[in-house]
Structure formats: structure tokens, C-alpha cells
Amino acid sequence: MKKIKTALISLSDKNNLKFLLESLKKYNIKLISSGGTFKEIKRLKFKCLEVSKFTGSEEILNGRIKTLHPKIHAGILNKRNDKNHLKDMKKNDYQNIDLVIVNFYPFEKTLEKTNNHKKIIENIDIGGPTMVRAAAKNYNDVTVINSSKNYLDLINELKKNNGATSLKFREKMARLAFTETAYYDSVISGYLNKVSNIVFPQKKIIHSNLVEKLRYGENPHQDAAMYSTNNKISINKIHVIICKVNHNILMKIVT
């Protein structure tokens, strides 16, 4: 079990934030945040330390540089049982970050709303995926949450383990996090290929979302599911009824 003492929170999607913060407060977890998330946490009347105060470095480049700082990433990436890592942390007076709760700028939703290339590019998140990948890589010591869909899972895990998380849970969240960063980058790659009129790039990354799990695959003993590049698929379900009468096969398609 790994006790969580410090959490870094940076969210584009702030849904259910209060619900999450109430749970973190129960276990006296110190909060670090920046930008709009910091303001929202303060508005909800929870204690929080701003990233710039934590690192000693102000945000620059209109907010492009906030969390890209050695104090942040050393806090996430250090191996807690590595003597050299511990030595470096002590030498630089760095603190551990045990929980990273981050979701990304809404790049995919931005594509749906505008064709403005400059605005689309500004919605490519850099700091968020960097922190998430770092936390996911170091899942042996750090917990990463990349979606509000997993808040309840985290809350239940903390409740079950009195403010700590199990290795099994951290590994699962890391796997989900790497899937999300891969998906996010694939959408960006697809957009840039499209605007550059590149139909057949050297490497093609296809992203998709689970739409529905099917009863079975090509045969009854096989599993199957339906995926789409959107969150839904515009096709009609067809039922095929097959029966055999006097050695003749009859088939009826019902929509």
C-alpha cells in the first residue's frame, strides 16, 4: 500500500470536482494546483497551494509553462526506494507527489467546434500528458487518475485502504492513462495529417471508442465488440433469422 500525502490536480473537465475534494480532505491530502483548477478549488473553499508557490517559478508564456518544472516531475518520477533518487530529492529539497489527477485540454471537442487552426493548436495539451505519463510510468509509487469517470474508483480505494492505494489499483490506472495519452496523440496526428493533405503517412494511427459489446463474434465461443472513431455509430442493427426446412435454408432479415 502507498499512503497518499500530496496530490497535484490540473483539470480541463472540472465536473464532480467538489465530490472528489471532499474525499481527499478526509485523509488530509495536501493539494497543489494551477490556473483555472486552482481558482475553482479555492472557490469551493478547499485549501490548495498554487503550483507557482510550490515550485518558486511563475507561470510564463501565457500559461504554456506551468507544471514543466523539475520540482514537479522529480516529485512524481522518483523511486521511493532508490538511494540515489532519495539523495537527489534531499539535495534539491524536493517533495514527493503521490497522486496526479489530470485531464487534458479538449482537443477533440475543439475540432468539432471550430476550423480555426491557431485555436486548435493552442488546445494541444503539453503539461497534462507529460505529468500523466510520468505518473503512469512510476505507478509503483504514484497513483494517476486521468478521467472523472474514475473518481469514484479512487474514492472507494482510499476508503478501503484508509487513504492509501494498492499496487493493483495503481497499475490499472496507469494502463488507462497510457491508453488515454495514446488516444489523445492519435487525434492530434490525424488532424495534422488531414490539414497537410497527407492521406498515406509513413505511420498510421487509428483511434476509436468502444460503442457496444456484442453477444459473440463470428462464432458463439468468440468475443466481439463494435468500435467507432466517434462515440456513436450511425448504422441500424439487423437481426438475421436462419432456419432449415426440408434440407432448404431459409433466411429472413429483420431491421
Side-chain angles (χ1 to χ4, degrees), residues 12 35 68-69 102 105 128 134 143-144 152 156-157 166 168 177 202 206 210 231 237 241 247 250:
S12 176
L68 297 170
H69 191 281
V102 172
Y105 294 168
T143 305
V144 60
L152 186 58
N156 289 336
E157 180 76 2
S166 65
K168 183 178 179 181
Q202 189 68 34
I206 301 172
L210 177 64
N231 288 312
K237 185 182 291 186
I241 301 172
H247 303 289
L250 305 177

Side-chain angles (χ1 to χ4, degrees), residues 73-171:
H73 289 279
I76 297 171
L77 276 168
N78 81 87
K79 296 178 182 179
R80 275 48 167 180
N81 61 353
D82 187 299
K83 291 182 180 180
N84 289 326
H85 287 202
L86 292 172
K87 183 179 178 181
D88 285 342
M89 294 294 287
K90 186 176 181 179
K91 178 182 176 181
N92 291 282
D93 193 26
Y94 289 165
Q95 304 170 34
N96 290 339
I97 296 173
D98 313 300
L99 171 62
V100 172
I101 305 174
V102 172
N103 55 52
F104 308 148
Y105 294 168
F107 183 83
E108 198 167 20
K109 289 183 178 179
T110 303
L111 291 180
E112 296 172 359
K113 294 178 181 179
T114 183
N115 292 319
N116 186 311
H117 183 68
K118 288 184 178 180
K119 187 173 183 180
I120 290 170
I121 293 300
E122 283 304 311
N123 274 277
I124 296 176
D125 201 331
I126 301 300
T130 304
M131 288 187 292
V132 165
R133 286 175 60 84
K137 175 177 180 174
N138 204 26
Y139 71 83
N140 191 64
D141 294 305
V142 179
T143 305
V144 60
I145 302 295
N146 192 222
S147 171
S148 58
K149 295 177 182 178
N150 300 123
Y151 287 175
L152 186 58
D153 295 327
L154 173 63
I155 290 168
N156 289 336
E157 180 76 2
L158 294 174
K159 184 177 180 181
K160 182 171 66 175
N161 300 303
N162 193 30
T165 60
S166 65
L167 178 60
K168 183 178 179 181
F169 178 80
R170 294 193 300 276
E171 186 175 17

